[in-house]
Amino acid sequence: MQLIAELDADAAEVPRARHLLGEALLAWHLDEDAADTALLLTSELVTNAVRHGRPPVHVHAEVLAGGVVRVEVDDASPSPIRPQDPDLEDLGGRGLQLVEMLSSAWGSRLRDRRHEGGRPVKCVWFELRATAPGTA
């Protein structure tokens, strides 16, 4: 079970990414709490890729053994991610903090696959433990 989607480098694609993942999570019959968290964290990663990365942006999601949902968002920027330490008054900069707090694991890496121009693909990912209804 997988979802693979290519998105434009446009903030309007964030709701589309949520919709596509939401449909996949529903089809995979995962618990509502995990699905809501996956949608929130995916929104954060796609927003970061659109704002700070280079097109194209890809979303890949799948259910691994043991009911673990893994979501990867990649873009063509080789620049490493930089978690922020925002002040209380700052309006942004908390996305990766949310990913760290709410996921069971997360990270980033450069993939061997390359986009046009020979640039490596930066991938930011997270995993969540989830259960199908009636199995918890």
Side-chain angles (χ1 to χ4, degrees):
M1 299 188 282
Q2 291 188 43
L3 165 70
I4 300 172
E6 183 171 323
L7 308 172
D8 293 329
D10 183 333
E13 290 284 68
V14 176
R16 180 172 167 249
R18 286 179 59 90
H19 176 76
L20 293 170
L21 181 60
E23 286 183 340
L25 295 170
L26 190 61
W28 298 338
H29 305 290
L30 298 179
D31 66 274
E32 190 174 339
D33 288 340
D36 287 347
T37 302
L39 291 171
L40 172 66
L41 300 184
T42 299
S43 293
E44 295 295 336
L45 296 188
V46 171
T47 298
N48 285 348
V50 167
R51 284 186 182 163
H52 307 293
R54 292 183 186 158
V57 174
H58 293 99
V59 176
H60 177 260
E62 63 183 321
V63 179
L64 305 174
V68 173
V69 176
R70 182 178 177 96
V71 177
E72 300 178 346
V73 177
D74 64 53
D75 68 73
S77 171
S79 299
I81 61 170
R82 292 190 303 268
Q84 305 294 308
D85 188 19
D87 291 329
L88 290 175
E89 300 82 27
D90 291 342
L91 297 177
R94 293 175 182 81
L96 292 176
Q97 289 178 347
L98 283 173
V99 173
E100 183 174 10
M101 288 187 313
L102 299 175
S103 66
S104 53
W106 78 282
S108 68
R109 68 182 187 287
L110 290 179
R111 291 184 185 227
D112 292 334
R113 188 179 74 207
R114 296 176 182 262
H115 285 294
E116 292 178 24
R119 293 186 308 264
V121 176
K122 175 181 66 218
C123 173
V124 183
W125 59 271
F126 68 85
E127 293 180 352
L128 291 173
R129 298 192 196 293
T131 58
T135 62

